[in-house]
Amino acid sequence: MSAAAEHLDPDEDARESAQWRPLILAVLLLALVLRLISAVVVERHVHEAGRTFFVEGDANGYWHLGKAIAAGEDYAIHQPPRRVLRVPGFPLLLAGCIQSFGDNVFPARCVLAVVGVGCCWLTWLLGSRLVMRRVGFWAALFMAVHPLQVGNSVLILSENWFTFWMLASLLALVNLIDAPGRIMDQSLRFDAVMLGRSVLTGALIAAGVLVRPGFIPWLVVTFIAVLLLLKQSLRARFTLAAIMVLAFGTVMLPWAARNHSLTGHWVLTSLWSGPSLYDGLNPDADGSSDMQFFERHNVMATMTEYEMNAHYQSLALQFIQEHPGRTLSLAGHKLVRFLQPIPNSISAGWVVCVVCGAVGAAFLALCLVGMRSGLLDPVGLMLVLGPFLLFMVVHMVFVGSLRYRLPAEFPLAILAATGLRQMLPGRKRG
């Protein structure tokens, strides 16, 4: 993608790959060991606190839905039942864990530890593809030992599983855009490789959306990127972009059809965006999440799930119209919460604060150096910065938290790794 990502001859590329293989395997092993230790520490902590989950609200909901899938029961939660509250991507993973290991949270933490290792591996592949293997190695190493990533990866939350699909979709997009020698002519001659890459990109974006609905605007970004950046005729670019969207829709269709059968409406993701939006845009909002209003209002006693969602969307839009100044002020508070290096609700003392602050400051500094390095061209910068900017904007509207930034740090680590390479001795020999 960049000037630094030169194509080597096959023999030289194979030799270089063999040289890096033991190093990246060591990084992945380190990532696994740290995450398994984290799983043990978190499990012990929640048991001593008399709980089951570190983040009770969301994790309880995900686990309940996972158990419902595993038992073949109605995919619903709460009373009256909400059947379109959560997209099924993460509960499906938990259902697999429950079917394999029973109603036991610790094995699920270990599975998520392995998923976290997979995220480090995809970061290595993406960094190697965008720049060079050296950069991919440093990016993967940073994510392997990043304390917040190590800790977050074993929580029963969707961020880690979403990160895996997001990184896979970015890698698929790179392979689709940067495909030298694979040109579809004006007659749209069938090219199975290009069509397959387009289908894979759309399907992987859909997999990410089925875990985190906030990722859906990335489909628009990808569509535009395919239209503007492919080395194809205009007709071929439109065809490949349309096939990508079709693949996205095909993966989403079973869930949307199920929602239509239950609600009478085509719901592509979930019916919780309204309350989530109002959570961040209401007279008592402060940038953090506080869903107590939902129980106080008790609108589900008189409304359907679809009507409830539309009701809260309307209230949030009304708040924006009546309080534009307060809306902008809240966006600033949410931005601070999204960007801050220290966890938003911290109770582990000054040691954790210092470590997280130091890692966050170093990460930011390396990213700034990486932006000036020239190793990433505009397309590469779009791919590593795009998810971060997307989530930042989304959570300046909804609620802000460091937790929502963590997935975007994996592609950002490639930018930080280019900055590190600029600062290391002997970088010109790379």
Side-chain angles (χ1 to χ4, degrees):
M1 299 296 295
S2 70
E6 299 175 355
H7 296 283
L8 306 176
D9 67 76
D11 291 339
E12 185 178 351
D13 187 61
R15 286 194 298 272
E16 184 177 338
S17 179
Q19 291 172 353
W20 282 101
R21 190 174 298 119
L23 292 174
I24 193 60
L25 287 176
V27 168
L28 297 180
L29 179 61
L30 174 63
L32 178 61
V33 169
L34 291 177
R35 281 155 176 78
L36 290 177
I37 293 172
S38 177
V40 173
V41 171
V42 169
E43 187 74 4
R44 181 177 299 174
H45 172 78
V46 296
H47 282 177
E48 290 176 351
R51 305 199 307 266
T52 305
F53 305 104
F54 195 82
V55 181
E56 286 283 352
D58 287 347
N60 271 309
Y62 284 128
W63 194 258
H64 177 90
L65 292 172
K67 289 172 65 176
I69 295 173
E73 298 173 353
D74 188 21
Y75 186 80
I77 191 171
H78 301 304
Q79 289 296 331
R82 283 175 253 164
R83 296 181 170 86
V84 198
L85 174 65
R86 298 282 191 190
V87 286
F90 187 53
L92 280 169
L93 175 67
L94 296 180
C97 296
I98 292 167
Q99 286 183 328
S100 300
F101 307 108
D103 188 8
N104 188 348
V105 176
F106 181 71
R109 297 193 194 280
C110 295
V111 170
L112 287 170
V114 175
V115 172
V117 176
C119 294
C120 295
W121 174 64
L122 288 172
T123 303
W124 145 257
L125 293 178
L126 186 61
S128 301
R129 190 73 172 82
L130 286 176
V131 192
M132 60 182 65
R133 287 187 175 92
R134 187 184 304 275
V135 166
F137 169 81
W138 286 117
L141 178 60
F142 195 91
M143 289 295 101
V145 302
H146 192 307
L148 289 176
Q149 298 291 353
V150 170
N152 187 74
S153 65
V154 298
L155 303 183
I156 308 300
L157 298 173
S158 63
E159 279 76 21
N160 193 33
W161 188 226
F162 165 72
T163 301
F164 181 88
W165 295 109
M166 179 195 70
L167 290 170
S169 72
L170 293 179
L171 189 60
L173 178 58
V174 171
N175 289 330
L176 176 61
I177 292 175
D178 192 29
R182 306 209 66 92
I183 307 297
M184 293 174 66
D185 59 26
Q186 291 288 346
S187 64
L188 299 183
R189 180 173 52 84
F190 181 81
D191 187 321
V193 173
M194 291 298 294
L195 293 178
R197 290 175 177 179
S198 183
V199 168
L200 181 62
T201 302
L204 289 172
I205 293 173
V209 171
L210 285 171
V211 181
R212 290 289 301 276
F215 192 51
I216 199 168
W218 189 250
L219 179 67
V220 179
V221 175
T222 304
F223 184 88
I224 295 171
V226 170
L227 289 181
L228 296 180
L229 302 174
L230 253 67
K231 306 178 183 72
Q232 311 285 344
S233 68
L234 183 60
R235 289 180 61 198
R237 278 179 273 164
F238 270 106
T239 299
L240 291 170
I243 289 171
M244 181 187 70
V245 174
L246 181 62
F248 173 89
T250 301
V251 174
M252 299 295 299
L253 182 60
W255 173 248
R258 175 258 187 195
N259 296 339
H260 182 269
S261 68
L262 291 173
T263 68
H265 301 273
W266 287 99
V267 179
L268 191 62
T269 54
S270 72
L271 290 176
W272 194 239
S273 60
S276 294
L277 186 62
Y278 185 72
D279 188 22
L281 294 166
N282 70 75
D284 298 321
D286 62 2
S288 62
S289 180
D290 183 1
M291 299 296 297
Q292 294 184 35
F293 67 85
F294 192 81
E295 300 299 329
R296 292 198 307 269
H297 296 173
N298 194 28
V299 298
M300 288 293 292
T302 57
M303 295 182 184
T304 66
E305 198 171 357
Y306 187 86
E307 291 168 343
M308 172 275 296
N309 191 63
H311 169 71
Y312 279 113
Q313 284 181 348
S314 176
L315 288 181
L317 293 175
Q318 180 181 342
F319 177 84
I320 294 173
Q321 293 171 354
E322 296 177 355
H323 306 281
R326 177 60 178 160
T327 299
L328 290 175
S329 174
L330 283 171
H333 287 297
K334 297 167 191 174
L335 178 62
V336 171
R337 290 177 58 83
F338 181 83
L339 294 177
Q340 69 183 59
I342 300 171
N344 303 113
S345 55
I346 192 70
S347 59
W350 67 270
V351 174
V352 172
C353 293
V354 170
V355 171
C356 292
V359 171
F363 189 75
L364 174 61
L366 289 173
C367 285
L368 293 175
V369 175
M371 290 185 68
R372 300 183 59 185
S373 69
L375 288 176
L376 281 163
D377 65 5
V379 177
L381 284 173
M382 181 270 290
L383 288 168
V384 300
L385 283 172
F388 171 79
L389 296 175
L390 170 64
F391 297 143
M392 183 179 73
V393 171
V394 166
H395 291 287
M396 287 174 68
V397 177
F398 288 82
V399 296
S401 173
L402 176 153
R403 166 186 164 188
Y404 304 124
R405 189 189 76 227
L406 293 180
E409 287 191 350
F410 280 84
L412 268 185
I414 297 169
L415 186 61
T418 62
L420 179 62
R421 181 183 176 275
Q422 288 296 100
M423 299 172 65
L424 290 176
R427 60 181 176 84
K428 294 183 179 180
R429 297 194 299 273

